[in-house]
Amino acid sequence: MLSTTINKERVSIIGSGNWGSAVGKIIGQNVLKHKDVFDTEVRQWVFEETFQGEKLTTLINRDHENPKYLPGIKFTDNIKATPDLLEACRDATVLVFVLPHQFVREVCEDLAGKISPNARAISLIKGLEIKPDQVVLFSEEIAKRLGLRVAALSGANIADEVAQEKFCETTIGCTSEDGDLFFKLFNTPYFRVNVIQDAVGVQLCGALKNVVAVGAGFSDGLGYGSNTKAAIIRRGLLEMRKFGQTFFGTVENETFFESCGVADLITTCAGGRNRRVAEAFVKTGKPIDVLEQELLHGQKLQGTLTAKEVHDFLAPRGLVNEFPLFETVYRICYENAPIESIVRDI
Amino acid sequence: MLSTTINKERVSIIGSGNWGSAVGKIIGQNVLKHKDVFDTEVRQWVFEETFQGEKLTTLINRDHENPKYLPGIKFTDNIKATPDLLEACRDATVLVFVLPHQFVREVCEDLAGKISPNARAISLIKGLEIKPDQVVLFSEEIAKRLGLRVAALSGANIADEVAQEKFCETTIGCTSEDGDLFFKLFNTPYFRVNVIQDAVGVQLCGALKNVVAVGAGFSDGLGYGSNTKAAIIRRGLLEMRKFGQTFFGTVENETFFESCGVADLITTCAGGRNRRVAEAFVKTGKPIDVLEQELLHGQKLQGTLTAKEVHDFLAPRGLVNEFPLFETVYRICYENAPIESIVRDI
C-alpha cells in the first residue's frame, strides 16, 4: 500500500489567480478521476492575502473556492491551499506553473535544489520576454533554473469561461514522454486537450497574438468592418508563424491550426483587453498609459509592450520590414504613426 | 494601331448583383489603370429588370451605378451594361463569372461555341454542388462546358465593404499562367490579391465555411462565449481542410492560411446570414424554413443546404464520423439532434 502511494504522481499548483483557480478546479477533478495515476491531494501555492478580513488560504481551504480571483466556482476538496511555496511543492512530481511571469524567477530561486529529482513541470504562464538579444520562453527558463523537463499549455481559454465549463480546447506542447500524463491531468469533456511536440510555438502564439489584437482593435476603432479585421487577423497569424520559424527552427506550421494558434488569436481579437484598449485609443485619442489607468486599473497592456519588444528585437537584425503588421502596431503606439497605416502599411 | 487594339484583353463581366457590381467597380478602374494590357471598355451582362419604372441597364449606363443591387456606389463610365449575353461576351478574352450558381449551366449553354478561342475565365461564383457521387466545382463546370481555362476567386469579401473601399484581401486560385493577368484585373490598394495554384481549395473553402458558420451560430444562440466559438471555427477549418485533402489530392495546407480560408471563415462566423439564422434557430425554436421566410425573404440558407449535401456525400462512403462538426450541424438541422451536441459530439 505504501509503495503504491509513493509511486503515484503528486501534483502541485504554483499560483492561484483567476487562471490558476480555473485550472485548479480541473486538476482537482482529474486527479480524483485518475486515482491510479495521481495522489488525490493537490497542493496549491497561494500568495497570501487578506480578503474581507480573513486569510485567502483559510477561505480557500474552508469554502473550496477562491473568493478573490474566481468567486462562485467550487473546487473539489482535495485542493489544499498553502502560503508556503516549499511546503506546496514538497515531494511533488508534477509542478504546474500558473502565475504572472514577473514572479517566475523569484519562485525558481526559492525552489532550486528543493524539488524532487524526478519531477517535471508544465508552464501555463502567459507571455514571454523578448530581449534585444534573445527570446526567453518561460518553459526554458524554468527548465534551466530547476533542471526539469518543462512542457507548455496555451489555448483559447478565457479563465471565467473555462471555470463555467463552457466548451473549449487547449494545446499542450511537450517534447518529452510526459504528454500522456499532462493529458490526463488537464483533459475534460469541456476542456479538450491536444498534445503536440512544439512547445516553443505554443508559447510564441500566446504572446504574439496580443500584438495582432492591438491591430484588430485599431481596425475596430476606425470602423473598418469585418473584412478588414479578418485580413489583419490573417496577416497576424502569418507573421506569428514567420517569427517563430525565422528564430526557432522547430516551430511547425500545424501549431498555428491548434487552439493555441488560430483559435486563441480569434478569441483575443474578438474580445479581450488588448483589442478593447486599442479601440479606445482610436476613439478617444488618449495615450495608451492613460487608458491603462482608466480601463485596466493601471495594469500594463501586454500587446503594446510585446510590440515594442518585437521591434527592439527585429530592428538590430534589419528585419522590421519583414513583419509589417507587428511593425505598424509598434509605430502607431510609439512613433505617432497615423492609425490608418494599420491597413495602408501592411 | 489596329493590331495593338486587337491584342489587348477584352474583359466581360457576367453578372451584376451585389458582388458583381462591387467587382465591376474594381475592374472598371483597373482596366483604365492598365491600358497597356486591357481594352478600356468592359461589357457587363445584366439580367434585365425594371427598377423604379426604368430598365436596369439604362440606369446603369446613364448613372454609372447599379441602383438596385449596389446603390450609392459609382462605377467608372467604361462599364457598359447590356441585357444581351452574347453581345456582352462577343470578342471577350477574359470572362468574369459572378452570378448565382443556379444560372451557370444556362449561361454556359448560351455561350457554348460563341466564345473567342483564346478566352479564359475566372469564377467568382459562390458555393459548389456536392452530389452523392461527386463534388462539382463551378470553375471545372465552366471549363468543361466552354473549353476554357478557368481560375477562381474567393476571400473575406463582403461586397458592401469592398464597394466602400474598406481594406481586405482575396485569393485567386489559378493553375495556369493567367495569374498575373488576373492580379492586374483585380488587385487594388484596398483589395489585395494573392494568387495561389490551388483553385480547388479556394472554391471548397467558399462553400464549406457556411456549414461552420451554422455551427458558430448555434454556439452563439446557446450563449457559449468566445472560447467555444473559436473552438468551433478551428475544428471547422480542420474539417474543411480534411474534406479537401481527402477528396482532392491537390488541396494544399497553405490555402487555409489564405484570405479564402481562415479570413473568410472568421468573417462568416462573425457576421453573415448563416450564423445569424442559426442563432435565431436556437433562440426562437422556429424551423429553418420559417426563419428563411422571416429573415431572408424566402431565400435558402446556404450552410444548411451544404451540410446536407456533405452528409449525403459522406454517408455512402462511411465517412460521416470523420467530420464530426459537419455531421453534427447536419443532425441538428435535419434530424432533431439536440443543439448542445454542437459541442458534445465534435
Side-chain angles (χ1 to χ4, degrees), chain A residues 93-126:
Chain A
T93 57
V94 181
L95 297 170
V96 178
F97 283 83
V98 53
L99 72 174
H101 62 84
Q102 57 269 32
F103 303 126
V104 172
R105 289 197 177 83
E106 196 180 322
V107 161
C108 285
E109 275 172 27
D110 291 348
L111 288 177
K114 290 160 190 159
I115 296 294
S116 164
N118 59 339
R120 35 301 195 229
I122 186 164
S123 168
L124 280 64
I125 297 159
K126 294 187 192 293

Side-chain angles (χ1 to χ4, degrees), chain B residues 47-48 57 64 81 84-85 127 180 210 235 245 254 280 308 323 344:
Chain B
F47 182 82
E48 192 69 286
T57 52
H64 311 301
D84 181 333
L85 178 66
D180 188 49
N210 293 322
R235 292 284 188 100
Q245 296 187 336
E254 281 303 300
K308 181 162 190 337
F323 298 87
R344 209 188 46 218

Side-chain angles (χ1 to χ4, degrees), chain B residues 306-332:
Chain B
T306 304
K308 181 162 190 337
E309 288 182 353
V310 167
H311 170 82
D312 292 346
F313 180 82
L314 293 173
R317 291 169 175 78
L319 290 174
V320 294
N321 294 332
E322 298 289 312
F323 298 87
L325 178 67
F326 291 167
E327 181 65 7
T328 303
V329 169
Y330 164 77
R331 286 201 198 120
I332 293 170

Side-chain angles (χ1 to χ4, degrees), chain A residues 31-313:
Chain A
V31 298
L32 293 173
K33 185 176 162 196
H34 300 291
K35 284 181 187 166
D36 53 322
V37 179
F38 299 105
D39 188 299
T40 55
E41 184 181 276
V42 174
R43 276 171 289 176
Q44 181 169 35
W45 178 57
V46 174
F47 184 82
E48 193 68 285
E49 302 177 61
T50 301
F51 183 77
Q52 296 181 341
E54 294 194 77
K55 287 182 176 173
L56 192 53
T57 52
T58 305
L59 291 169
I60 293 172
N61 288 328
R62 189 189 71 200
D63 301 333
H64 311 300
E65 179 180 332
N66 187 325
K68 177 156 187 185
Y69 295 107
L70 194 63
I73 300 292
K74 291 286 176 196
F75 307 138
T76 46
D77 61 8
N78 55 330
I79 299 285
K80 304 296 183 193
T82 166
D84 181 333
L85 177 65
L86 294 185
E87 167 66 18
C89 297
R90 186 167 43 83
D91 299 330
T93 57
V94 181
L95 297 170
V96 178
F97 283 83
V98 53
L99 72 174
H101 62 84
Q102 57 269 32
F103 303 126
V104 172
R105 289 197 177 83
E106 196 180 322
V107 161
C108 285
E109 275 172 27
D110 291 348
L111 288 177
K114 290 160 190 159
I115 296 294
S116 164
N118 59 339
R120 35 301 195 229
I122 186 164
S123 168
L124 280 64
I125 297 159
K126 294 187 192 293
L128 41 77
E129 284 179 356
I130 305 174
K131 299 177 179 176
D133 61 332
Q134 64 171 323
V135 176
V136 179
L137 303 170
F138 288 109
S139 68
E140 293 179 358
E141 191 71 10
I142 296 166
K144 192 176 69 181
R145 288 171 181 260
L146 297 182
L148 305 173
R149 299 193 298 266
V150 186
L153 180 150
S154 185
N157 304 144
I158 296 168
D160 287 328
E161 294 184 15
V162 173
Q164 292 162 38
E165 306 196 1
K166 289 185 172 166
F167 177 89
C168 69
E169 301 183 299
T170 199
T171 313
I172 290 178
C174 181
T175 49
S176 72
E177 68 274 27
D178 302 328
D180 188 49
L181 178 73
F182 289 127
F183 182 89
K184 286 197 174 79
L185 192 59
F186 288 101
N187 188 65
T188 79
Y190 65 86
F191 188 70
R192 303 276 185 92
V193 171
N194 230 6
V195 180
I196 65 173
Q197 295 270 315
D198 181 8
V200 173
V202 166
Q203 290 170 88
L204 284 176
C205 286
L208 296 173
K209 68 172 186 182
N210 293 320
V211 182
V212 185
V214 173
F218 290 152
S219 176
D220 284 346
L222 291 163
Y224 279 168
S226 83
N227 284 356
T228 307
K229 189 163 164 179
I232 288 171
I233 294 172
R234 185 191 89 84
R235 293 284 188 102
L237 189 65
L238 292 184
E239 290 192 16
M240 287 162 59
R241 185 176 74 164
K242 184 173 181 175
F243 189 93
Q245 296 186 337
T246 303
F247 302 111
F248 296 88
T250 56
V251 171
E252 294 177 23
N253 281 344
E254 280 303 300
T255 303
F256 299 87
F257 284 115
E258 293 292 334
S259 180
C260 68
V262 64
D264 196 15
L265 181 62
I266 290 170
T267 303
T268 307
C269 292
R273 52 171 56 190
N274 289 284
R275 192 212 62 79
R276 186 160 48 95
V277 172
E279 184 180 25
F281 177 79
V282 181
K283 289 189 167 170
T284 66
K286 294 177 182 174
I288 294 286
D289 55 350
V290 171
L291 293 168
E292 286 168 340
Q293 288 299 330
E294 291 183 4
L295 299 175
L296 306 179
H297 312 291
Q299 278 187 50
K300 288 286 167 196
L301 197 64
Q302 202 57 51
T304 49
L305 277 180
T306 304
K308 181 161 191 338
E309 288 183 354
V310 167
H311 170 82
D312 292 345
F313 180 82

